[in-house]
Amino acid sequence: MTRMDRHAWLLPSAMADRPVDGPPGRRPRRTVRDWAVDTTLFLCAVLFGLIAADSTAQLTSDTVAFADQVAGAAACCALWLRRRWPVGLAVALSLAGVIAPLTGGAFLVSLFSVAVRRPFREVAWIGALAAACTTVQVFVRPDPATGAPLGIAIGVILVLLMTAWGMLVRSRRQLVEALRERARRAEAEAELRAEQAQRLAREAIAREMHDVLAHRLTLLSVHAGALEFRPDAPPEQVARAAGVIRDSAHEALQDLRQIIGVLRAPGEGAEGDRPQPTLATLDALVAESRDAGTKVVLDSTIDDPATVPAATGRTVYRIAQEGLTNARKHAPSTEVTLTVRGRPGEGLTVEVRNPAPTGPVPPVPGSGQGLIGLTERATLAGGRLDHGPAPDGGFALHAWLPWPS
């Protein structure tokens, strides 16, 4: 139950939250506040009628006074219908007030109800009718104590006051409704933004896991395959391959822990976080690929990798990592060329190129997902990435990233 639901009894029925599963067109039930307001206005109309009865009884006969009292009592009882038929009740009481002054209190209450519930056009013509009936009533049932000019002025002023009060209440209700609708929209938009943030976070985690783990697992696959097809290899080669498998598995486990660590609460396990790769760690990536048996030629003109922004360097690292991984999977035993160029203000380019494989290569399931993730990563970094077959039959991956001056 929301806070608004708990305090709905303090609101008018027109503003209280209604159940969405209710029948369409059903009139809202009166709240506790509505009953209190209706009772108070009924008693005020009765009090006004009693005061008017004392003054008119001295100026009319007993029969006319009794008729006035009956008309005033009926008008007060009719106020309980003001929520259902506000316009009709206001018109009827305006006309009745011409000949029955005791209905004046109920007439003012009905005029207030019209101003609260109806648009300005209806309120204007009903107010004009009420002012006209009040003026006529001064001449039909004159009061010697006040006189015609003063009686007309008092009647018109009361009509204007009740109309202005009702319109003020209506404007306030419209303002509150607008604020409530704005709050509901803001809450819905906040939920939508939270869902989008969660989706983007999941996509980022999935992309990071693919970029990181695919490289490590490819090394595992290459050396495990070498052990499978060369069981008679010298002991030193077997030991070297086993060491690479162990180190790659350890690195993959550490990378997996680092990625999953973003799902933890803030500050939880932060002391164990590993540093993120940057352009300065590109040499280590190349050396790792060479240790796995891949021929890699690194051609870089970046003299000081530390001057490259960390986010840009990390993106270059992931692009190079994915390019080397793809070359190892789809074109094994070929020479891969990794080229890095750029300077501040002109941007940074990275290219991974490999020739066509020398023999048949078995298909790799799930191919292409890493390139899709890299394209999204480069776009988010403000750059672009192109990939496809090279003219010599190989494969080329080319990316450009911004490098502010």
Side-chain angles (χ1 to χ4, degrees):
M1 180 180 294
T2 63
R3 183 178 180 182
M4 187 67 69
D5 294 332
R6 292 195 302 267
H7 297 84
W9 63 276
L10 293 174
L11 297 174
S13 58
M15 297 177 59
D17 289 340
R18 294 182 290 275
V20 296
D21 55 352
R26 181 179 64 85
R27 294 179 61 253
R29 294 182 178 180
R30 282 188 175 96
T31 63
V32 175
R33 181 184 183 277
D34 288 340
W35 284 106
V37 170
D38 290 349
T39 303
T40 302
L41 293 178
F42 172 78
L43 295 178
C44 290
V46 171
L47 179 61
F48 187 91
L50 293 177
I51 295 175
D54 290 339
S55 61
T56 58
Q58 302 174 0
L59 303 176
T60 60
S61 61
D62 295 339
T63 303
V64 176
F66 178 74
D68 285 345
Q69 294 173 5
V70 172
C76 292
C77 293
L79 288 179
W80 294 102
L81 303 176
R82 69 185 183 90
R83 295 181 181 273
R84 180 171 298 184
W85 298 298
V87 175
L89 182 62
V91 172
L93 292 182
S94 297
L95 298 177
V98 175
I99 58 175
L102 271 63
T103 62
F107 155 68
L108 293 177
V109 173
S110 66
L111 188 62
F112 169 79
S113 300
V114 170
V116 170
R117 290 171 175 79
R118 289 294 182 263
F120 176 76
R121 181 175 299 179
E122 295 186 25
V123 174
W125 73 262
I126 292 177
L129 175 63
C133 292
T134 301
T135 303
V136 174
Q137 188 263 341
V138 171
F139 296 99
V140 174
R141 299 290 298 272
D143 186 357
T146 58
L150 182 58
I152 294 174
I154 293 175
V156 172
I157 290 174
L158 290 176
V159 169
L160 293 177
L161 287 177
M162 298 304 293
T163 303
W165 184 20
M167 294 178 64
L168 177 63
V169 172
R170 174 182 172 84
S171 299
R172 183 179 179 277
R173 289 185 181 181
Q174 290 176 341
L175 176 61
V176 172
E177 282 294 333
L179 294 177
R180 291 174 62 186
E181 181 63 25
R182 184 181 301 177
R184 281 191 288 264
R185 282 200 305 268
E187 184 178 356
E189 292 174 357
E191 293 178 356
L192 181 60
R193 286 194 297 269
E195 293 177 359
Q196 292 177 345
Q198 292 176 357
R199 178 177 57 82
L200 293 176
R202 287 194 296 266
E203 292 177 355
I205 292 174
R207 182 167 55 246
E208 193 73 14
M209 291 182 68
H210 177 275
D211 295 344
V212 173
L213 297 182
H215 176 72
R216 306 294 182 189
L217 296 180
T218 302
L219 295 178
L220 288 174
S221 177
V222 169
H223 287 84
L227 292 178
E228 180 183 2
F229 290 105
R230 291 290 307 277
D232 57 343
E236 58 273 9
Q237 293 185 7
V238 174
R240 180 171 174 271
V244 174
I245 292 175
R246 183 195 61 223
D247 293 340
S248 298
H250 178 72
E251 292 292 334
L253 181 61
Q254 293 297 325
D255 291 334
L256 183 61
R257 288 176 178 174
Q258 178 185 0
I259 295 172
I260 296 179
V262 301
L263 300 177
R264 298 175 179 174
E268 183 181 350
E271 66 280 357
D273 290 346
R274 300 173 62 200
Q276 292 289 330
T278 60
L279 191 61
T281 59
L282 190 61
D283 292 335
L285 175 65
V286 173
E288 188 179 61
S289 297
R290 289 169 176 169
D291 292 338
T294 304
K295 301 177 183 179
V296 183
V297 176
L298 176 61
D299 182 10
S300 176
T301 61
I302 309 300
D303 297 330
D304 187 5
T307 59
V308 178
T312 303
R314 183 162 52 252
T315 303
V316 171
Y317 182 93
R318 295 304 184 199
I319 292 175
Q321 186 181 54
E322 179 65 20
L324 294 175
T325 300
N326 289 338
R328 191 180 303 117
K329 291 190 297 184
H330 301 286
S333 302
T334 60
E335 185 178 86
V336 185
T337 303
L338 174 59
T339 306
V340 181
R341 297 280 189 272
R343 64 178 59 184
E346 295 182 0
L348 193 64
T349 60
V350 54
E351 185 179 61
V352 183
R353 182 183 295 271
N354 62 269
T358 56
V361 179
V364 180
S367 299
Q369 297 299 319
L371 295 177
I372 295 175
L374 285 183
T375 303
E376 295 178 355
R377 183 190 290 271
T379 302
L380 291 176
R384 58 183 179 272
L385 184 142
D386 301 316
H387 56 82
D392 58 356
F395 192 85
L397 186 154
H398 183 274
W400 176 88
L401 299 171
W403 185 359
S405 57

